Amino acid sequence: DEFLAGLARYAPRPVYPEDFAARVYKIGRDPQGVRLTYMKITGGSLRVKGLLSGADARGERWEEKAEQLRVYSGEKFRTLEEAEDFLEDWMIRTCELIDRYQVKELYFDWWIQHSSAKKYLKKIAAYYYNRALEWGEEVHIAYKHDAFMFGTATVDIERGQFSQIQPFVWQTDTAIAKNSWCYTENNEFKEAKNILCDLVDVVSKNGCMLLNVGPKADGTISEEDRKVLLEIGKWLEVNGEAIYGTGIWRVAQEGPTLVEEGQFTDGKDKVFTREDFRFTRKGSCLYAICLSYPKDGKVVIKSLGKQDASHLPKFHGIIKNVEVLGFEEEPVWNRMVEGLVIETKTVCSDKPVVFKIEID
Protein backbone atom coordinates (compact mmCIF):
# COMPACT_ATOMS: atom_id res chain seq x y z
CA ASP A 1 0.00 0.00 0.00
CA GLU A 2 2.86 2.37 0.82
CA PHE A 3 4.45 1.72 -2.57
CA LEU A 4 1.20 2.20 -4.49
CA ALA A 5 0.58 5.45 -2.58
CA GLY A 6 3.97 6.67 -3.83
CA LEU A 7 3.08 6.19 -7.15
CA ALA A 8 7.28 18.86 -31.15
CA ARG A 9 8.64 21.51 -32.23
CA TYR A 10 12.38 20.91 -32.17
CA ALA A 11 12.24 17.17 -32.81
CA PRO A 12 12.87 16.01 -36.38
CA ARG A 13 9.72 14.62 -37.92
CA PRO A 14 10.21 11.43 -39.99
CA VAL A 15 8.80 11.58 -43.52
CA TYR A 16 7.66 8.33 -45.15
CA PRO A 17 6.98 7.78 -48.86
CA GLU A 18 3.61 6.90 -50.36
CA ASP A 19 5.29 4.25 -52.53
CA PHE A 20 6.44 0.96 -51.08
CA ALA A 21 9.59 1.16 -49.00
CA ALA A 22 11.08 -1.12 -46.36
CA ARG A 23 14.08 -1.57 -44.10
CA VAL A 24 15.61 -5.06 -44.26
CA TYR A 25 17.09 -6.13 -40.93
CA LYS A 26 17.63 -9.88 -41.39
CA ILE A 27 17.86 -12.55 -44.12
CA GLY A 28 17.49 -16.23 -43.23
CA ARG A 29 15.78 -19.49 -44.17
CA ASP A 30 12.87 -21.45 -42.73
CA PRO A 31 13.16 -25.20 -41.83
CA GLN A 32 12.26 -26.08 -45.44
CA GLY A 33 15.09 -23.98 -46.79
CA VAL A 34 12.92 -21.18 -48.16
CA ARG A 35 14.78 -17.87 -48.09
CA LEU A 36 13.16 -15.30 -45.81
CA THR A 37 13.73 -11.55 -45.88
CA TYR A 38 12.69 -9.90 -42.61
CA MET A 39 11.70 -6.29 -43.10
CA LYS A 40 9.90 -3.35 -41.56
CA ILE A 41 7.60 -1.64 -44.04
CA THR A 42 8.18 2.12 -43.96
CA GLY A 43 6.00 3.18 -46.86
CA GLY A 44 3.12 2.13 -49.07
CA SER A 45 2.11 -1.55 -49.23
CA LEU A 46 3.32 -4.81 -50.77
CA ARG A 47 1.19 -7.55 -52.35
CA VAL A 48 2.00 -11.20 -53.03
CA LYS A 49 3.73 -11.49 -56.43
CA GLY A 50 4.53 -7.79 -56.16
CA LEU A 51 7.75 -6.80 -57.88
CA LEU A 52 10.64 -5.68 -55.69
CA SER A 53 13.69 -3.90 -57.07
CA GLY A 54 16.81 -2.28 -55.75
CA ALA A 55 20.59 -2.20 -55.95
CA ASP A 56 23.27 -4.16 -54.14
CA ALA A 57 26.42 -2.79 -52.48
CA ARG A 58 28.16 -2.69 -55.88
CA GLY A 59 25.36 -0.66 -57.42
CA GLU A 60 24.04 -3.52 -59.57
CA ARG A 61 20.27 -3.49 -60.04
CA TRP A 62 18.07 -6.47 -59.16
CA GLU A 63 14.38 -7.45 -59.38
CA GLU A 64 12.47 -10.20 -57.54
CA LYS A 65 8.87 -11.10 -56.80
CA ALA A 66 7.46 -11.50 -53.30
CA GLU A 67 6.31 -15.14 -53.47
CA GLN A 68 4.73 -15.09 -49.99
CA LEU A 69 4.15 -12.59 -47.20
CA ARG A 70 4.31 -13.78 -43.58
CA VAL A 71 3.68 -12.19 -40.19
CA TYR A 72 5.58 -14.05 -37.47
CA SER A 73 4.71 -14.54 -33.81
CA GLY A 74 7.59 -16.52 -32.35
CA GLU A 75 8.10 -19.52 -34.65
CA LYS A 76 4.50 -19.44 -35.88
CA PHE A 77 3.35 -17.30 -38.77
CA ARG A 78 0.32 -16.48 -40.84
CA THR A 79 0.29 -15.48 -44.48
CA LEU A 80 -1.02 -12.23 -45.96
CA GLU A 81 -2.17 -11.22 -49.41
CA GLU A 82 -0.98 -7.70 -48.78
CA ALA A 83 1.45 -6.40 -46.18
CA GLU A 84 -0.98 -3.63 -45.29
CA ASP A 85 -3.25 -6.36 -43.88
CA PHE A 86 -1.06 -6.21 -40.80
CA LEU A 87 -2.72 -2.90 -39.93
CA GLU A 88 -6.14 -4.55 -39.91
CA ASP A 89 -4.81 -7.14 -37.47
CA TRP A 90 -3.18 -4.39 -35.39
CA MET A 91 -6.48 -2.50 -35.21
CA ILE A 92 -8.39 -5.60 -34.06
CA ARG A 93 -5.76 -6.41 -31.41
CA THR A 94 -5.89 -2.81 -30.14
CA CYS A 95 -9.69 -2.97 -29.84
CA GLU A 96 -9.34 -6.25 -27.95
CA LEU A 97 -6.99 -4.56 -25.46
CA ILE A 98 -9.50 -1.73 -25.07
CA ASP A 99 -12.31 -4.15 -24.26
CA ARG A 100 -10.36 -6.51 -22.01
CA TYR A 101 -8.70 -3.87 -19.83
CA GLN A 102 -10.87 -0.75 -20.22
CA VAL A 103 -7.67 1.30 -20.44
CA LYS A 104 -7.80 4.92 -19.29
CA GLU A 105 -5.12 6.03 -21.73
CA LEU A 106 -4.26 4.68 -25.16
CA TYR A 107 -0.65 5.63 -25.85
CA PHE A 108 0.83 5.52 -29.33
CA ASP A 109 4.45 5.91 -30.32
CA TRP A 110 5.82 7.63 -33.39
CA TRP A 111 5.21 5.48 -36.51
CA ILE A 112 1.42 5.83 -36.70
CA GLN A 113 1.50 9.25 -38.40
CA HIS A 114 2.18 7.44 -41.70
CA SER A 115 -0.64 7.76 -44.22
CA SER A 116 -1.28 4.01 -44.40
CA ALA A 117 -2.33 3.98 -40.73
CA LYS A 118 -4.73 6.93 -40.87
CA LYS A 119 -7.98 5.08 -41.64
CA TYR A 120 -7.27 2.55 -38.90
CA LEU A 121 -6.50 5.28 -36.35
CA LYS A 122 -9.88 6.90 -37.02
CA LYS A 123 -11.66 3.58 -36.48
CA ILE A 124 -9.70 2.87 -33.29
CA ALA A 125 -10.42 6.35 -31.88
CA ALA A 126 -14.13 6.12 -32.66
CA TYR A 127 -14.37 2.66 -31.10
CA TYR A 128 -12.41 3.69 -27.98
CA TYR A 129 -14.34 6.89 -27.33
CA ASN A 130 -17.71 5.20 -27.87
CA ARG A 131 -16.77 2.36 -25.51
CA ALA A 132 -15.68 4.91 -22.89
CA LEU A 133 -19.13 6.51 -23.10
CA GLU A 134 -20.66 3.10 -22.44
CA TRP A 135 -18.35 2.60 -19.45
CA GLY A 136 -19.05 6.09 -18.11
CA GLU A 137 -15.30 6.78 -18.00
CA GLU A 138 -13.10 9.65 -19.14
CA VAL A 139 -10.30 8.42 -21.39
CA HIS A 140 -7.78 9.92 -23.77
CA ILE A 141 -5.42 9.00 -26.58
CA ALA A 142 -1.83 10.25 -26.54
CA TYR A 143 -0.05 10.79 -29.86
CA LYS A 144 3.00 12.37 -31.48
CA HIS A 145 3.84 14.06 -34.79
CA ASP A 146 0.27 15.05 -35.73
CA ALA A 147 -0.86 11.43 -36.06
CA PHE A 148 -4.37 12.57 -35.01
CA MET A 149 -6.25 15.70 -35.97
CA PHE A 150 -5.52 18.38 -33.38
CA GLY A 151 -8.23 18.47 -30.72
CA THR A 152 -9.25 14.82 -31.08
CA ALA A 153 -6.49 13.43 -28.84
CA THR A 154 -3.71 14.53 -26.49
CA VAL A 155 -0.41 15.90 -27.80
CA ASP A 156 2.55 14.02 -26.29
CA ILE A 157 6.16 15.16 -25.99
CA GLU A 158 8.56 12.28 -25.34
CA ARG A 159 11.09 13.01 -22.59
CA GLY A 160 10.53 16.74 -22.86
CA GLN A 161 8.11 19.60 -22.41
CA PHE A 162 6.92 22.98 -23.64
CA SER A 163 8.78 26.08 -22.53
CA GLN A 164 5.60 28.18 -22.26
CA ILE A 165 2.01 27.71 -21.09
CA GLN A 166 -0.29 26.10 -23.66
CA PRO A 167 -4.03 26.70 -24.27
CA PHE A 168 -4.57 22.94 -24.72
CA VAL A 169 -3.97 19.96 -22.45
CA TRP A 170 -0.82 18.01 -23.33
CA GLN A 171 1.32 15.23 -21.92
CA THR A 172 4.97 14.40 -21.40
CA ASP A 173 6.07 10.79 -21.12
CA THR A 174 9.32 10.28 -19.30
CA ALA A 175 11.11 7.74 -17.11
CA ILE A 176 12.92 7.57 -13.79
CA ALA A 177 16.05 6.42 -15.62
CA LYS A 178 17.78 9.00 -17.78
CA ASN A 179 19.29 6.49 -20.18
CA SER A 180 16.67 3.77 -20.55
CA TRP A 181 12.95 2.94 -20.53
CA CYS A 182 13.79 -0.48 -19.07
CA TYR A 183 15.73 -1.66 -16.06
CA THR A 184 19.38 -2.24 -16.94
CA GLU A 185 22.46 -2.71 -14.79
CA ASN A 186 23.86 0.66 -15.88
CA ASN A 187 20.77 2.81 -15.35
CA GLU A 188 21.40 6.42 -14.40
CA PHE A 189 18.49 7.34 -12.13
CA LYS A 190 17.01 10.80 -11.81
CA GLU A 191 16.66 12.33 -8.37
CA ALA A 192 13.15 12.70 -6.98
CA LYS A 193 13.53 16.47 -6.65
CA ASN A 194 14.31 16.80 -10.39
CA ILE A 195 11.27 14.75 -11.38
CA LEU A 196 9.11 16.86 -9.04
CA CYS A 197 10.44 20.09 -10.56
CA ASP A 198 9.57 18.74 -14.01
CA LEU A 199 6.11 17.69 -12.80
CA VAL A 200 5.42 21.14 -11.35
CA ASP A 201 6.66 22.83 -14.52
CA VAL A 202 4.52 20.60 -16.75
CA VAL A 203 1.33 21.04 -14.72
CA SER A 204 1.74 24.82 -14.57
CA LYS A 205 1.78 24.84 -18.40
CA ASN A 206 -1.43 22.80 -18.78
CA GLY A 207 0.31 19.45 -19.08
CA CYS A 208 0.38 16.12 -17.28
CA MET A 209 3.15 13.61 -16.74
CA LEU A 210 3.21 9.91 -17.61
CA LEU A 211 6.07 8.44 -15.56
CA ASN A 212 7.63 5.15 -16.66
CA VAL A 213 9.07 2.67 -14.15
CA GLY A 214 11.05 -0.14 -15.78
CA PRO A 215 10.72 -3.43 -13.86
CA LYS A 216 13.45 -6.05 -13.63
CA ALA A 217 13.23 -9.28 -15.63
CA ASP A 218 11.41 -10.98 -12.74
CA GLY A 219 8.80 -8.22 -12.58
CA THR A 220 10.07 -6.60 -9.38
CA ILE A 221 10.82 -2.89 -8.99
CA SER A 222 14.43 -1.97 -8.24
CA GLU A 223 15.34 -0.35 -4.94
CA GLU A 224 16.53 2.74 -6.80
CA ASP A 225 13.15 3.16 -8.50
CA ARG A 226 11.31 2.40 -5.29
CA LYS A 227 13.28 5.04 -3.37
CA VAL A 228 12.47 7.72 -5.98
CA LEU A 229 8.77 6.77 -6.10
CA LEU A 230 8.39 6.89 -2.33
CA GLU A 231 10.05 10.32 -2.17
CA ILE A 232 7.69 11.59 -4.86
CA GLY A 233 4.75 10.05 -3.01
CA LYS A 234 5.66 11.71 0.29
CA TRP A 235 5.91 15.11 -1.41
CA LEU A 236 2.56 14.65 -3.15
CA GLU A 237 0.93 13.53 0.09
CA VAL A 238 1.68 16.99 1.48
CA ASN A 239 1.60 19.13 -1.66
CA GLY A 240 -0.72 17.21 -3.94
CA GLU A 241 -3.46 19.83 -3.71
CA ALA A 242 -1.21 22.12 -5.77
CA ILE A 243 -1.07 19.47 -8.53
CA TYR A 244 -4.23 17.34 -8.64
CA GLY A 245 -7.34 18.94 -10.08
CA THR A 246 -5.66 22.30 -10.59
CA GLY A 247 -5.85 24.65 -13.55
CA ILE A 248 -3.52 27.13 -15.17
CA TRP A 249 -3.16 30.71 -13.92
CA ARG A 250 -2.64 33.89 -15.99
CA VAL A 251 1.07 33.04 -16.14
CA ALA A 252 2.79 29.71 -15.66
CA GLN A 253 6.17 30.83 -14.43
CA GLU A 254 8.60 33.52 -13.39
CA GLY A 255 12.31 33.48 -12.83
CA PRO A 256 15.57 33.37 -14.82
CA THR A 257 15.75 29.62 -15.52
CA LEU A 258 13.93 28.69 -18.72
CA VAL A 259 13.14 25.10 -19.65
CA GLU A 260 14.41 23.90 -23.03
CA GLU A 261 11.52 23.00 -25.31
CA GLY A 262 11.26 19.81 -27.34
CA GLN A 263 11.68 16.06 -27.15
CA PHE A 264 14.55 14.22 -25.45
CA THR A 265 15.62 17.13 -23.28
CA ASP A 266 14.95 15.57 -19.86
CA GLY A 267 18.43 14.11 -19.49
CA LYS A 268 19.85 17.51 -18.61
CA ASP A 269 19.53 18.51 -14.95
CA LYS A 270 18.11 21.99 -14.52
CA VAL A 271 19.60 24.32 -11.91
CA PHE A 272 16.77 26.45 -10.49
CA THR A 273 17.09 29.46 -8.18
CA ARG A 274 15.04 31.13 -5.43
CA GLU A 275 13.50 33.32 -8.15
CA ASP A 276 12.06 30.39 -10.11
CA PHE A 277 8.34 29.94 -9.40
CA ARG A 278 5.56 27.99 -11.09
CA PHE A 279 1.86 28.74 -10.60
CA THR A 280 -1.30 26.62 -10.45
CA ARG A 281 -4.76 27.44 -9.12
CA LYS A 282 -7.81 25.79 -7.62
CA GLY A 283 -10.94 27.57 -6.43
CA SER A 284 -10.00 30.78 -4.65
CA CYS A 285 -6.43 29.63 -4.04
CA LEU A 286 -3.31 30.29 -6.05
CA TYR A 287 -0.34 27.97 -5.52
CA ALA A 288 3.07 29.58 -5.97
CA ILE A 289 5.70 26.84 -6.06
CA CYS A 290 9.34 27.75 -5.43
CA LEU A 291 11.55 25.26 -7.27
CA SER A 292 14.66 25.93 -5.17
CA TYR A 293 13.92 27.28 -1.70
CA PRO A 294 16.76 29.36 -0.20
CA LYS A 295 18.34 28.62 3.17
CA ASP A 296 17.72 32.19 4.42
CA GLY A 297 13.95 31.66 3.94
CA LYS A 298 13.25 34.84 1.95
CA VAL A 299 11.65 34.91 -1.49
CA VAL A 300 9.96 37.54 -3.65
CA ILE A 301 7.14 36.62 -6.04
CA LYS A 302 7.23 39.42 -8.61
CA SER A 303 3.98 38.45 -10.36
CA LEU A 304 2.06 39.17 -7.15
CA GLY A 305 3.44 42.64 -6.43
CA LYS A 306 1.38 45.83 -6.33
CA GLN A 307 0.97 46.67 -10.00
CA ASP A 308 -0.77 49.23 -12.17
CA ALA A 309 -3.47 47.25 -13.96
CA SER A 310 -5.09 50.23 -15.70
CA HIS A 311 -3.28 49.52 -18.96
CA LEU A 312 -1.95 45.96 -18.92
CA PRO A 313 -3.95 42.99 -17.52
CA LYS A 314 -1.63 42.38 -14.58
CA PHE A 315 -2.68 40.72 -11.32
CA HIS A 316 -4.62 43.17 -9.20
CA GLY A 317 -6.46 40.86 -6.80
CA ILE A 318 -6.67 40.96 -3.00
CA ILE A 319 -4.42 38.54 -1.10
CA LYS A 320 -6.08 37.39 2.14
CA ASN A 321 -3.63 34.85 3.47
CA VAL A 322 -0.39 32.97 2.74
CA GLU A 323 0.60 29.58 4.16
CA VAL A 324 3.33 27.03 3.47
CA LEU A 325 2.11 23.50 2.80
CA GLY A 326 3.71 20.92 5.07
CA PHE A 327 5.03 23.37 7.66
CA GLU A 328 3.39 24.68 10.82
CA GLU A 329 5.15 28.03 10.66
CA GLU A 330 3.03 31.01 9.59
CA PRO A 331 5.16 32.95 7.11
CA VAL A 332 5.58 36.72 7.33
CA TRP A 333 4.43 38.29 4.10
CA ASN A 334 4.09 41.76 2.69
CA ARG A 335 2.84 42.84 -0.70
CA MET A 336 5.05 45.53 -2.19
CA VAL A 337 5.72 47.07 -5.58
CA GLU A 338 8.64 44.71 -6.23
CA GLY A 339 6.50 41.69 -5.41
CA LEU A 340 4.96 39.56 -2.68
CA VAL A 341 7.77 39.27 -0.11
CA ILE A 342 7.63 36.10 2.01
CA GLU A 343 9.94 35.27 4.91
CA THR A 344 10.21 32.05 6.91
CA LYS A 345 12.54 30.81 9.64
CA THR A 346 11.99 27.04 9.84
CA VAL A 347 11.06 26.11 6.27
CA CYS A 348 13.78 23.96 4.73
CA SER A 349 13.55 21.50 1.84
CA ASP A 350 15.60 20.24 -1.11
CA LYS A 351 12.35 19.81 -3.05
CA PRO A 352 9.84 22.41 -4.34
CA VAL A 353 8.15 24.46 -1.59
CA VAL A 354 4.48 25.34 -2.08
CA PHE A 355 2.85 28.57 -0.92
CA LYS A 356 -0.93 28.41 -0.75
CA ILE A 357 -2.21 31.93 -1.36
CA GLU A 358 -5.85 32.72 -0.63
CA ILE A 359 -7.27 35.40 -2.92
CA ASP A 360 -10.47 37.37 -2.37
Side-chain angles (χ1 to χ4, degrees):
D1 290 340
E2 182 186 11
F3 175 69
L4 291 175
L7 294 175
R9 261 190 320 187
Y10 298 116
R13 179 179 177 180
V15 177
Y16 297 99
E18 294 292 332
D19 296 331
F20 173 75
R23 179 177 293 121
V24 176
Y25 59 92
K26 178 182 176 182
I27 295 178
R29 295 187 181 273
D30 68 8
Q32 286 71 43
V34 177
R35 193 186 72 175
L36 302 175
T37 301
Y38 297 83
M39 63 178 66
K40 175 182 178 180
I41 296 177
T42 59
S45 63
L46 174 65
R47 296 190 64 84
V48 173
K49 302 299 182 182
L51 188 65
L52 298 170
S53 63
D56 61 21
R58 294 169 297 192
E60 297 181 5
R61 301 292 300 176
W62 57 264
E63 287 188 351
E64 289 188 22
K65 286 185 178 180
E67 298 296 336
Q68 189 181 64
L69 300 177
R70 302 178 181 181
V71 173
Y72 273 86
S73 177
E75 295 183 355
K76 297 181 180 180
F77 68 88
R78 64 182 181 86
T79 59
L80 304 173
E81 285 301 311
E82 187 174 5
E84 191 180 35
D85 290 352
F86 171 77
L87 292 171
E88 184 82 22
D89 182 71
W90 167 70
M91 178 185 70
I92 294 170
R93 289 173 183 269
T94 302
C95 291
E96 181 184 11
L97 288 172
I98 290 169
D99 283 339
R100 291 185 65 179
Y101 301 104
Q102 295 192 7
V103 293
K104 298 297 187 294
E105 173 177 326
L106 199 56
Y107 171 90
F108 289 109
D109 210 353
W110 60 272
W111 188 86
I112 61 166
Q113 75 273 12
H114 182 54
S115 60
S116 62
K118 289 293 186 178
K119 64 180 180 181
Y120 299 100
L121 289 177
K122 293 173 184 177
K123 292 179 180 179
I124 289 172
Y127 184 80
Y128 184 39
Y129 290 149
N130 285 331
R131 291 293 282 148
L133 285 175
E134 295 174 15
W135 304 331
E137 295 283 354
E138 291 187 4
V139 300
H140 76 111
I141 298 172
Y143 71 96
K144 305 172 186 175
H145 306 306
D146 293 300
F148 285 84
M149 179 61 69
F150 182 79
T152 64
T154 304
V155 175
D156 180 272
I157 300 181
E158 183 175 353
R159 287 188 174 273
Q161 54 225 80
F162 285 106
S163 62
Q164 302 295 328
I165 194 170
Q166 299 299 316
F168 54 87
V169 175
W170 56 281
Q171 173 182 280
T172 179
D173 64 287
T174 187
I176 292 180
K178 290 182 180 180
N179 56 331
S180 176
W181 289 104
C182 312
Y183 176 81
T184 65
E185 293 180 353
N186 299 315
N187 270 359
E188 182 181 352
F189 294 93
K190 297 176 185 175
E191 294 183 35
K193 67 177 181 180
N194 293 331
I195 295 176
L196 285 169
C197 284
D198 281 343
L199 173 64
V200 169
D201 181 79
V202 166
V203 173
S204 73
K205 296 169 183 172
N206 214 16
C208 54
M209 176 184 284
L210 181 64
L211 183 62
N212 174 78
V213 183
K216 293 183 177 181
D218 62 1
T220 60
I221 303 299
S222 72
E223 284 302 313
E224 296 92 340
D225 284 306
R226 181 182 175 87
K227 178 178 179 294
V228 172
L229 285 172
L230 289 175
E231 281 191 59
I232 292 172
K234 288 179 181 178
W235 187 89
L236 286 171
E237 189 175 7
V238 174
N239 302 285
E241 67 176 273
I243 300 295
Y244 300 121
T246 58
I248 55 175
W249 192 48
R250 56 174 61 230
V251 296
Q253 60 193 349
E254 71 173 50
T257 310
L258 298 180
V259 173
E260 182 180 357
E261 182 166 298
Q263 297 190 114
F264 304 105
T265 58
D266 70 341
K268 306 171 186 176
D269 290 338
K270 307 168 187 71
V271 181
F272 293 106
T273 71
R274 68 169 71 204
E275 299 178 60
D276 288 303
F277 281 85
R278 299 295 184 267
F279 303 99
T280 62
R281 60 161 181 83
K282 184 191 300 178
S284 60
C285 292
L286 171 68
Y287 298 94
I289 307 169
C290 183
L291 299 182
S292 180
Y293 201 69
K295 292 181 179 180
D296 63 12
K298 181 178 180 179
V299 292
V300 179
I301 307 175
K302 297 177 182 178
S303 299
L304 299 178
K306 292 182 177 179
Q307 305 174 81
D308 179 9
S310 61
H311 178 58
L312 297 175
K314 296 181 178 180
F315 175 72
H316 199 60
I318 300 172
I319 297 176
K320 293 178 61 177
N321 187 50
V322 178
E323 64 176 284
V324 193
L325 296 186
F327 296 90
E328 295 182 358
E329 178 185 356
E330 294 184 5
V332 176
W333 58 276
N334 186 20
R335 192 176 181 193
M336 307 172 70
V337 173
E338 61 265 34
L340 178 63
V341 180
I342 303 176
E343 295 186 64
T344 62
K345 295 181 179 180
T346 62
V347 175
C348 181
S349 178
D350 66 334
K351 297 178 179 63
V353 170
V354 180
F355 292 101
K356 182 178 181 179
I357 302 168
E358 189 178 353
I359 297 175
D360 198 359

